[in-house]
Amino acid sequence: MKQAWKRRYSFWSLTAAVLIVIGLVGVIQRYAFGLGETTNLSDRFPWGLWIGFDILVGVGLAAGGFTIAAAVHIFNIERFRPILKPTILTAFLGYLLVIAGLLVDLGKPWAIWHALIYWNTSSVMFEVAWCVMLYTVVLALEFSPVVLERFNLQAPLRVIRAITIPVVVTGVILSTLHQSSLGSLFIIIPGRMHPLWYSTILPFLFLISSIAAGLAMTIVESQLSAKAFGRKIEVPLLADLARVVVVVLATFLAVRVQDLINRDALRFALEPTYQSGLFWVEIVLGTFVPIALLLIPRFRHTANGLFNASVLVLLGFVANRLNTAITSMEQWPDRTYMPSWQEVAITLGLAAVGFALFSAGVRYLNVFGPQEDPGARQRQEVLSQGSRTTSRRTDTVCAEASSHI
Amino acid sequence: MSNAMLIDITRCVGCGECTRACIAANDLPEGDDTQLSCARYTVVNEVGNPQASVRQLCMHCVEPTCVSACLVGAFRKTATGAVVYDEEKCIGCRYCMQACPFSVPKYEWSSLAPRIKKCSFCHSRVSQGKLPACVEACPAGASVFGDRNELIREAHHRINENPGEYVDHVYGEHEAGGTSVLFLSAVPFGLLGFPDNLPTEPIPRLSWKILKEIPKYAVVSSLLLFGIHWITARRAYVEKIEHRDSETEELR
């Protein structure tokens, strides 16, 4: 059994290595020959797969980071603590890859720092840029204890633990702003987008769907890494997450349909067009089916059931983002787009880098192990001493508060 | 004074002198004369049925979408009405290309340091007191340059004085909140390929409605999150103390 997993694991390592090499070839070509030579982007289609997938999907899949951080640190739901560190790692790596994707997509990547000094606060892209920068820093801070513990650096650890709550609160605000701002980007294009996707509530729709996708990603990633590293899959915990996914997805579906009705756009879904076909793929595959499956307890409480339903949620999410960024702008035959092989190769290569970095992180850092909890020791002491003066209690509160964070 | 250009499609003969003058004035390279590109800032095409010669160029919106969309503020609406681009600031995100309701900004796709290219309303010529190159070159008087308010009056005057010759619509007077390039036509503008579904509200306001809420959102949600943390942490603490007290109770 274990042997089989090992073989499978090395098969995936090899696949990742091949994808990374092909992706690197794409990157070298892109920088050597320019965007026009190596992509199918054009004046008619200035944004393609990299914005649609690497940015919109990449950021969305990192939404587990703020959701689980808020659940554990703000709402004190201790049950979710075991999946906190891997989820933060996923989000952190996701954001690093988004930045890598941006460096490939931008026409003048060496000027990216201009966003720091030239401010235009009326630009949604300005909001997006600052959210990317600041939330990446927040994710680095949120993940830093794992690295600091590895090298036993107590002084910075104490500092990080002391500021955990403000950091997490900042992270939740930045991340929710970022998720929604990616939807706001499209609000400025009222004329050209297909009515099945253009909506002034896109920011809200993007936020809700990212929460469902982020949690589905957490379920998938927990199972993949459990299998890869021979750990037990925590089905009851993941089933709890899946229940949240169902509620969030159902909310998303209700808001989405209501919005289509309000804008009198539902009729476009019934026309036999290329766009309506992809709309139904997104809605049926990404919401109806996973909601139905996850509502069945027998299905929800098995590792395979959870995994398959979550993969459907992710596919539906990818379809939604690609439809918003690409399908909604296509007008056959004048305005169409298919990515070039370099665009696909770089996207796949970046995803493979993500998987490789994640497994390296799990291998060399204590991502899944029990969290070192200095507060536990103190609590033990308090218990054994049995002394309970008020001042002592206050001390414990502080110690517990800071350790718990 | 905010300048504008009035283009009377009924007077245009489609000779293409404007395109050639633009190429010369801006020192543009070889390129396709039928569509806007990084090598053509204005083109004239025979479009529609019945046919009409229609010029395309940057509309120089009164409240330009590109100015609001650019994260580094590389676009600017000058006091004289031109929308100009600063290639030094640009990082190449191409959001202006997506945002422009008239699909005007074009990109130097084949360059390794690509820039956005579009009509500048001959900003440097106009600041020297000259006319835009295309207006100066027009042999038919189809394109004229002047104060925006006066040109709008002139446009309505032409419509009223020549009943039946024009559709009663000055394109650009209200489209996307108003533009500094105005069109008159005998054929409905939608049939000539002009975007006819644009709001009359300036488009930047669509995103500003959301952006302006961010400070409020940040304050309210941080208060809410700190508040929730305060409550849940306190609850967890009380539970712990009670648990501990009951344990010591048992020990006794």
Side-chain angles (χ1 to χ4, degrees):
Chain A
M1 188 67 191
K2 213 162 193 187
Q3 207 63 38
W5 272 116
K6 217 163 215 172
R7 232 175 301 136
R8 226 181 198 178
Y9 188 60
S10 55
F11 165 74
W12 285 112
S13 309
L14 188 68
T15 311
V18 170
L19 288 177
I20 292 171
V21 170
I22 302 175
L24 265 179
V25 175
V27 170
I28 292 167
Q29 291 206 354
R30 178 258 170 270
Y31 287 120
F33 306 124
L35 288 168
E37 273 299 305
T38 50
T39 69
N40 284 342
L41 300 172
S42 65
D43 284 338
R44 280 161 194 260
F45 233 96
W47 285 2
L49 181 69
W50 292 335
I51 299 287
F53 192 91
D54 302 23
I55 312 293
L56 297 190
V57 173
V59 170
L61 295 186
F66 89 85
T67 320
I68 303 292
V72 172
H73 290 304
I74 309 292
F75 291 89
N76 248 310
I77 308 173
E78 281 295 319
R79 207 162 70 251
F80 289 149
R81 194 177 281 274
I83 52 170
L84 178 62
K85 286 192 282 185
T87 309
I88 297 288
L89 178 60
T90 309
F92 181 46
L93 294 176
Y95 266 69
L96 292 182
L97 294 175
V98 163
I99 294 172
L102 267 177
L103 290 175
V104 174
D105 182 81
L106 287 179
K108 296 204 281 184
W110 57 88
I112 194 169
W113 59 274
H114 285 183
L116 292 170
I117 54 162
Y118 300 122
W119 287 27
N120 179 12
T121 50
S122 68
S123 166
V124 179
M125 195 57 95
F126 173 81
E127 183 197 354
V128 170
W130 276 89
C131 285
V132 174
M133 284 188 274
L134 295 177
Y135 190 52
T136 307
V137 173
V138 166
L139 283 170
L141 287 175
E142 287 182 350
F143 188 68
S144 66
V146 180
V147 181
L148 296 173
E149 275 166 17
R150 172 79 174 71
F151 299 103
N152 200 25
L153 300 166
Q154 291 300 328
L157 260 177
R158 271 195 296 277
V159 175
I160 284 291
R161 291 209 165 108
I163 59 168
T164 302
I165 290 301
V167 166
V168 170
V169 168
T170 313
V172 172
I173 294 169
L174 285 171
S175 186
T176 47
L177 280 175
H178 190 205
Q179 298 294 349
S180 58
S181 67
L182 291 179
S184 314
L185 278 180
F186 295 93
I187 280 191
I188 212 165
I189 320 174
R192 286 206 311 280
M193 279 175 81
H194 193 283
L196 281 174
W197 289 282
Y198 180 81
S199 164
T200 47
I201 65 160
L202 266 178
F204 188 52
L205 290 170
F206 263 50
L207 177 60
I208 318 177
S209 52
S210 77
I211 295 173
L215 294 178
M217 183 68 187
T218 304
I219 295 174
V220 168
E221 159 248 287
S222 300
Q223 294 212 19
L224 286 181
S225 44
K227 282 178 185 165
F229 297 97
R231 297 165 34 82
K232 205 171 129 283
I233 296 170
E234 299 173 78
V235 173
L237 177 63
L238 299 184
D240 278 349
L241 277 185
R243 292 216 303 243
V244 182
V245 171
V246 169
V247 174
V248 177
L249 267 190
T251 311
F252 171 72
L253 187 60
V255 177
R256 179 99 164 86
V257 172
Q258 185 66 53
D259 173 58
L260 286 169
I261 294 171
N262 288 348
R263 293 184 294 107
D264 191 25
L266 204 54
R267 62 202 161 90
F268 293 104
L270 304 174
E271 291 175 355
T273 59
Y274 160 70
Q275 271 99 351
S276 71
L278 284 170
F279 168 80
W280 285 112
V281 167
E282 172 193 323
I283 294 291
V284 174
L285 199 77
T287 54
F288 280 140
V289 178
I291 289 174
L293 290 177
L294 289 174
L295 280 175
I296 306 168
R298 271 226 318 261
F299 197 87
R300 193 173 61 237
H301 289 290
T302 61
N304 277 338
L306 281 169
F307 186 84
N308 294 335
S310 302
V311 168
L312 280 180
V313 175
L314 294 182
L315 289 178
F317 176 77
V318 172
N320 172 262
R321 292 308 193 255
L322 291 182
N323 280 342
T324 308
I326 296 170
T327 312
S328 79
M329 312 269 188
E330 289 192 307
Q331 255 166 27
W332 203 81
D334 299 347
R335 199 191 274 270
T336 56
Y337 164 82
M338 266 309 249
S340 69
W341 75 260
Q342 289 97 334
E343 291 178 79
V344 177
I346 293 175
T347 295
L348 291 177
L350 283 173
V353 168
F355 279 101
L357 287 177
F358 186 85
S359 53
V362 173
R363 196 167 293 204
Y364 298 110
L365 300 167
N366 182 23
V367 174
F368 281 102
Q371 196 176 22
E372 194 204 321
D373 187 359
R377 216 182 321 123
Q378 272 160 321
R379 278 197 296 278
Q380 209 58 45
E381 275 167 30
V382 177
L383 265 176
S384 57
Q385 278 174 6
S387 84
R388 37 214 58 94
T389 60
T390 329
S391 70
R392 186 78 182 108
R393 268 189 192 179
T394 332
D395 287 351
T396 329
V397 183
C398 298
E400 278 171 9
S402 59
S403 66
H404 242 121
I405 310 182
Chain B
M1 184 178 91
S2 186
N3 292 317
M5 188 185 294
L6 174 62
I7 301 175
D8 190 332
I9 294 172
T10 67
R11 294 187 185 183
C12 179
V13 293
C15 63
E17 282 300 325
C18 48
T19 307
R20 284 186 284 279
C22 177
I23 294 168
N26 294 291
D27 203 11
L28 296 178
E30 290 281 299
D32 176 2
D33 281 342
T34 65
Q35 54 183 350
L36 294 183
S37 66
C38 61
R40 291 295 175 271
Y41 303 163
T42 185
V43 293
V44 195
N45 284 305
E46 300 285 318
V47 293
N49 186 24
Q51 283 205 327
S53 300
V54 176
R55 269 191 75 187
Q56 279 176 281
L57 70 162
C58 173
M59 299 291 284
H60 298 279
C61 303
V62 174
E63 267 189 53
T65 315
C66 55
V67 171
S68 87
C70 180
L71 82 159
V72 291
F75 287 98
R76 182 168 62 88
K77 174 87 175 168
T78 67
T80 56
V83 177
V84 294
Y85 163 75
D86 179 355
E87 63 186 59
E88 295 300 319
K89 286 185 178 173
C90 178
I91 67 173
C93 74
R94 311 186 294 283
Y95 189 35
C96 52
M97 304 178 71
Q98 289 283 28
C100 176
F102 304 101
S103 304
V104 163
K106 302 298 176 198
Y107 208 49
E108 292 182 312
W109 291 102
S110 54
S111 165
L112 286 179
R115 295 165 296 181
I116 291 291
K117 290 287 187 172
K118 70 166 200 70
C119 160
S120 67
F121 234 26
C122 277
H123 185 57
S124 54
R125 283 175 63 98
V126 172
S127 12
Q128 292 162 20
K130 293 193 240 173
L131 284 173
C134 56
V135 172
E136 194 178 80
C138 183
S143 300
V144 292
F145 193 72
D147 177 66
R148 186 169 185 269
N149 293 331
E150 273 172 30
L151 285 182
I152 288 172
R153 261 198 303 279
E154 163 69 16
H156 283 290
H157 181 72
R158 285 190 204 174
I159 292 172
N160 295 333
E161 290 298 295
N162 303 285
E165 292 218 1
Y166 296 99
V167 288
D168 187 13
H169 183 174
V170 180
Y171 192 93
E173 185 178 2
H174 301 296
E175 273 75 13
T179 61
S180 296
V181 174
L182 306 160
F183 283 93
L184 281 175
S185 168
V187 187
F189 288 97
L191 300 178
L192 298 177
F194 286 78
D196 57 356
N197 58 352
L198 296 177
T200 53
E201 187 191 19
I203 294 175
R205 290 189 201 166
L206 289 173
S207 25
W208 184 245
K209 276 178 202 157
I210 292 162
L211 285 169
K212 71 174 166 50
E213 304 297 334
I214 291 175
K216 270 179 258 174
Y217 170 78
V219 171
V220 172
S221 51
S222 56
L223 287 176
L224 202 65
L225 291 169
F226 277 118
I228 293 169
H229 168 72
W230 194 20
I231 294 167
T232 57
R234 170 73 192 168
R235 191 181 292 159
Y237 168 68
V238 169
E239 248 169 46
K240 227 161 252 162
I241 296 292
E242 279 172 355
H243 180 67
R244 191 184 63 195
D245 283 352
S246 64
E247 262 180 30
T248 40
E249 203 72 8
E250 276 166 31
L251 281 176
R252 273 175 198 163

